[in-house]
Amino acid sequence: MGVRKPTLRSVAEAAGVSTATVSYAFSRPDRVSAEARTRVLAVAGELGYAGPDAKGRSLRTGRTGAVGVIFTTGLTYAFTDPYVTAMLAGLAEALEPSRTSLMFIPFGEVSAGMAPDQVRRSVDAVHRAMIDGAVADGLDDDHPAVRVLAERGIPLVRSNETAAGPSVVIDDRQAGRDVGRHLAGLGHRDIVALVATPHEPGRVVEVTEQTPLFPYSRLRLTGLRESLPADTRLRVISGGSNSALAGQVAARAVLRGSERPTAIAADSDVLAAAVAGVARERGLWLGAGLSLTGFDDQPVAAELGLTTVRQPVHRKGFLMGRMLVDPDSERGRITLPTELVVRRSTGPAPSVRLGE
């Protein structure tokens, strides 16, 4: 006969307390005395009891104590991209007081041409996730993950202006205008917009291919176009997966030969930093032979003297989390401010002398 698995009730009996006290000792220690909790945990350790079953508790209470984060760029992105790590830090800060856990939920990039079985596996992962709410960055209303969460009645907070429902956003279109006006004012008429896409880095992204871009990229491109003079040549080039390696491949393609632009407006500081490295290889001085802008104002931007759009990423993550754990504190949509931070990476276009 096998050894009986310890239960909440057997721990309560052995400790001489109620089952509620045992439950509180693990999940709500503020509800029991320090002495009672110490006794319960000691008995639980002796019996090999690890705590109430999370699945069973969620069925009884209707809550799991977890918030999901939807990733369409791979889970490793959460640990390597400075924008994502800053957003997650803010999110965790908002969730920590309520002891709410974070669950990372991978979902393949639909616009990259996922096979039906890949979409099905991703959808199943969202269906199975035991979460009370979710956060998604850069997903449109018709994204399969968004639809599944809506069907399940799971509260969702997003960070793009196209979102219907609770969201924490910046005015990406206006930020694009700010970049465009700055470059146009410096005399630049041959500009490349370098954006993260599911396409291979370095290839031209035609207008007909720009619909699947992330919502924020589409809005920034719209603002950029609106602010540039009619005689400006603007090319949209894929930066690939928004990584240093992909950015380097894209930069080498853009800076090769006679088609080199006078300015590059990168969709992130990650891509801009990659361009800066390749520019150095080619003997180009930023702000002189080539102007370069980024987006986010991560620490690397100041190190490189990069002109970039500053956005409060940590604050964005914090407010998204607070919308989920305390929906009465924040409602609807919050728009956070941005600022174009001008540094030495931008200057007059070659052969242009301002003020003459």
Side-chain angles (χ1 to χ4, degrees):
M1 181 179 295
V3 178
R4 290 183 60 189
K5 184 178 179 180
T7 64
L8 182 144
R9 182 174 296 280
S10 63
V11 172
E13 291 174 351
V17 298
S18 68
T19 54
T21 298
V22 175
S23 178
Y24 287 147
F26 281 92
S27 59
R28 294 290 301 276
D30 56 305
R31 300 287 296 271
V32 297
S33 67
E35 181 184 356
R37 185 168 188 262
T38 299
R39 184 166 69 256
V40 167
L41 294 181
V43 171
E46 293 172 2
L47 298 179
Y49 179 70
D53 178 68
K55 184 175 181 180
R57 183 169 64 248
S58 70
L59 291 174
R60 290 191 299 273
T61 65
R63 292 186 58 80
T64 66
V67 163
V69 183
I70 309 296
F71 282 95
T72 61
T73 48
L75 293 185
T76 56
Y77 202 66
F79 305 97
T80 58
D81 184 82
Y83 168 88
V84 177
T85 54
M87 185 189 72
L88 288 175
L91 179 60
E93 183 179 322
L95 301 182
E96 190 171 18
S98 61
R99 300 189 180 182
T100 301
S101 302
L102 273 177
M103 176 185 291
F104 292 176
I105 305 172
F107 201 110
E109 180 53 62
V110 176
S111 60
M114 292 173 64
D117 63 319
Q118 293 175 308
V119 176
R120 185 166 53 253
R121 286 198 298 271
S122 292
V123 167
D124 286 345
V126 180
H127 269 298
R128 293 194 307 270
M130 295 179 61
I131 53 177
D132 299 318
V135 164
D137 186 55
L139 299 189
D140 281 315
D141 291 344
D142 61 353
H143 191 280
V146 174
R147 294 201 300 267
V148 169
L149 292 168
E151 291 167 2
R152 293 184 58 191
I154 300 292
L156 173 65
V157 179
R158 284 181 284 165
S159 59
N160 52 294
E161 289 183 75
T162 61
S167 56
V168 182
V169 306
I170 61 170
D171 191 338
D172 284 291
R173 188 170 178 174
Q174 182 57 52
R177 292 192 195 104
D178 292 341
V179 171
R181 287 172 183 153
H182 175 64
L183 294 177
L186 293 170
H188 293 280
R189 298 295 183 270
D190 190 352
I191 300 172
V192 159
L194 190 62
V195 300
T197 79
H199 305 300
E200 65 273 14
R203 63 164 282 187
V204 175
V205 183
E206 303 293 349
V207 174
T208 55
E209 299 176 301
Q210 291 172 21
T211 300
L213 296 178
F214 285 111
Y216 57 80
S217 294
R218 295 199 302 266
L219 289 165
R220 292 171 194 174
L221 281 174
T222 297
L224 189 62
R225 288 192 178 98
E226 291 172 344
S227 60
L228 295 175
D231 62 344
T232 302
R233 180 193 189 198
L234 176 65
R235 288 168 285 165
V236 180
I237 302 295
S238 170
S241 59
N242 194 44
S243 66
L245 181 60
Q248 291 164 6
V249 173
R252 292 190 180 104
V254 170
L255 298 177
R256 182 174 55 236
S258 60
E259 293 293 292
R260 190 179 76 205
T262 64
I264 297 176
D267 206 24
S268 71
D269 291 340
V270 170
L271 292 178
V275 172
V278 174
R280 284 194 299 271
E281 293 175 0
R282 303 293 168 91
L284 297 172
W285 287 91
L286 294 183
L290 176 72
S291 283
L292 174 66
T293 67
F295 209 103
D296 295 331
D297 198 28
Q298 297 299 326
V300 69
E303 296 170 12
L304 294 173
L306 179 66
T307 294
T308 189
V309 175
R310 176 180 295 160
Q311 64 162 317
V313 183
H314 184 280
R315 182 66 178 167
K316 180 188 288 187
F318 177 84
L319 290 173
M320 293 172 77
R322 196 161 73 175
M323 277 186 169
L324 289 173
V325 297
D326 188 8
D328 291 332
S329 66
E330 308 288 351
R331 294 180 179 273
R333 171 173 300 201
I334 298 173
T335 301
L336 299 175
T338 62
E339 176 189 359
L340 180 66
V341 181
V342 178
R343 298 190 178 101
R344 64 177 182 272
S345 71
T346 50
S351 77
V352 173
R353 291 185 180 179
L354 299 183
E356 291 189 358

